[in-house]
Amino acid sequence: MKIIYALLVPIVLCSCNTSSKNEKENKKTIENNQSKTAETKADYTIAVNFINNYVDYISDTIGKISDDEFVKKNKFVTQQFKDRYKTIIDSANKAEPEVGLDFDPIIDGQDYPDKGFKIKSIDEKNGFVTLSGIDWTDFEVAVKVVNENNKTFVDGSGIINIPTNKQAKR
């Protein structure tokens, strides 16, 4: 019997020590994953900053670059956004050379709130941000935000890369 106890005690002690090590390793893994998740979490304020910067741009009529150049040079939008914008504009200009699209695809309208926008709601699961006008609260714009290489970008706005069911109601 003493021999059995002599054999069991070291085994029990070793298994307790291993369990403690595994718990510490699991805790470290969880902490690392949480910090990675925090690093990759999207910054949804880019949506409102982008739209308000765009409103400032379209409100300024002196020395203004073209809308195409504004989008092309914008560092806050994805390449997919730029490509889709160009496709929409080119298609509209080809179909209606005199008029083009006849509304702004980024804000999905002809008019816009003069004082800019604020965040109304955020769909973190899908990356959609609904913005509403500061001085025109019924005017809304849907913006899609994505994370690429730990940086947040605008990937859609108005009708650009926004599914019909997510676009603001007009």
Side-chain angles (χ1 to χ4, degrees), residues 35-53:
S35 73
K36 285 180 183 176
T37 302
E39 289 173 15
T40 59
K41 188 172 181 177
D43 177 7
Y44 295 102
T45 60
I46 195 168
V48 73
N49 291 340
F50 167 74
I51 285 293
N52 285 336
N53 182 270

Side-chain angles (χ1 to χ4, degrees), residues 132-149:
S132 64
I134 292 171
D135 58 333
W136 185 359
T137 57
D138 291 342
F139 192 98
E140 295 179 354
V141 175
V143 178
K144 173 119 171 101
V145 173
V146 295
N147 221 347
E148 292 181 357
N149 301 322

Side-chain angles (χ1 to χ4, degrees), residues 28-118:
K28 274 187 178 180
T29 302
I30 290 168
E31 287 171 357
N32 286 340
N33 287 341
Q34 286 173 341
S35 73
K36 285 180 183 176
T37 302
E39 289 173 15
T40 59
K41 188 172 181 177
D43 177 7
Y44 295 102
T45 60
I46 195 168
V48 73
N49 291 340
F50 167 74
I51 285 293
N52 285 336
N53 182 270
Y54 186 68
V55 166
D56 289 344
Y57 157 76
I58 56 179
S59 297
D60 183 18
T61 57
I62 301 170
K64 179 166 121 172
I65 60 174
S66 71
D67 293 356
D68 291 344
E69 280 298 306
F70 177 86
V71 171
K72 188 177 178 181
K73 291 180 177 182
N74 198 299
K75 295 177 183 172
F76 301 107
V77 298
T78 63
Q79 187 61 48
Q80 294 88 340
F81 182 101
K82 294 174 184 182
D83 294 344
R84 185 68 183 139
Y85 175 85
K86 183 168 177 25
T87 299
I88 290 170
I89 296 299
D90 290 349
S91 296
N93 288 337
K94 185 176 180 183
E96 292 289 335
E98 296 283 323
V99 181
L101 193 56
D102 198 28
F103 70 96
D104 189 313
I106 293 174
I107 58 171
D108 189 15
Q110 292 177 329
D111 298 319
Y112 55 90
D114 292 329
K115 293 184 180 176
F117 291 84
K118 62 184 176 186

